[in-house]
Amino acid sequence: MTAATARVRLSIVDNLRSTCYTVNLSTPSTTLLPPITSADPPGPSASDAIRLVRNHSLATLVQNELERLILSGELPPGVKLGEEDVALRLSVSRGPVREAFRALDQIGLVRIEKNRGVSVRTISVAEADEIYELRAGLDELIGRLAASRITRDQILGLRSLIKGMEQAAAARDVDAYTPLNFEFHDLLASITGNRTLVATYRRLVKELHLFRRETLALGRDSFPISVREHRQIVDALARGDGDEAGRLLYAHAIDSQDRLHRIVSGPAPRAAPAGRTVAAARARRSRVAAGK
């Protein structure tokens, strides 16, 4: 490690929540990550950062940072990811970047195409429909299992998250609302104690992330509806009513799917063209509005 070093933020994405660490790495002046300023909130200690580097391979650190950028929307669907560029900007060799790309491809966040390179995955509406259907079934199971296993402290934790969601909804702040929504559903899945279910559920949620952001950002009624549905789910869990909690969670997923179709002005889910994306639908609506 040379004396000429700069601080770089590396994030570990844990259960859809990002923990930011500051570590010293030799790095060029231009970085993929936002610069760290004195206004940044204090993070973990230097010993935490050292432990982070020791306990995670460079490939894992690169994967987690790219995953954070994708889930936050900083790397939007369709954007190209150059192996050499990412390696240079994160001051690592190309090997860990290549490994990170393969791992992200396996969990459905990027696509690796021969002769075309790596890009952030763009999911068609038809693909989203399939994921929503599977997620709805898992949500129903989560509700039934969680109702019999949830503790009083966990109910209080869910209600606290809803309070934060209400504040974000009132401000129509998608960036504040989205991580709280993630945390709410991830906590519900974790309460089941079923690790296989949790792992499968987390992958589905990540794949649907960008669609979910658009339904909240573009649907004028999405915020109050979403908050109300979350509150009803917790009320059912507090009563220990697994049937009702499962029904509400299933309906919550299907309602989100329906809102997606209303926003993109698409046909019924089963008739959705395989190649149609939310971004393409928005562009078409813009052209129509402009009289083109």
Side-chain angles (χ1 to χ4, degrees), residues 166-224:
E166 289 172 341
Q167 294 173 354
R172 301 192 66 79
D173 188 342
V174 176
D175 290 331
Y177 190 93
T178 299
L180 293 171
N181 182 60
F182 274 158
E183 189 170 355
F184 180 93
H185 287 282
D186 192 75
L187 177 55
L188 280 183
S190 299
I191 289 169
T192 68
N194 187 316
R195 289 178 294 181
T196 302
L197 185 157
V198 171
T200 303
Y201 188 77
R202 285 174 180 164
R203 170 166 178 161
L204 295 177
V205 169
K206 289 177 183 179
E207 289 183 301
L208 281 174
H209 172 70
L210 294 176
F211 280 88
R212 182 59 179 158
R213 285 180 65 89
E214 292 222 8
T215 59
L216 288 170
L218 298 178
R220 290 180 298 177
D221 61 345
S222 293
F223 276 117

Side-chain angles (χ1 to χ4, degrees), residues 154-164 184 231 234-235 238:
Q154 288 168 333
I155 290 172
L156 292 175
L158 291 170
R159 294 197 190 282
S160 177
L161 286 172
I162 290 176
K163 288 182 180 179
F184 180 93
R231 193 182 301 111
V234 176
D235 289 343

Side-chain angles (χ1 to χ4, degrees), residues 37-53:
T37 68
S38 58
D40 288 334
S45 66
S47 62
D48 289 330
I50 293 172
R51 194 158 49 246
L52 167 75
V53 175

Side-chain angles (χ1 to χ4, degrees), residues 140-159:
E140 182 174 11
L141 177 59
I142 287 170
R144 294 180 183 278
L145 294 176
S148 63
R149 301 172 185 180
I150 196 167
T151 66
R152 183 177 179 276
D153 286 343
Q154 288 168 333
I155 290 172
L156 292 175
L158 291 170
R159 294 197 190 282

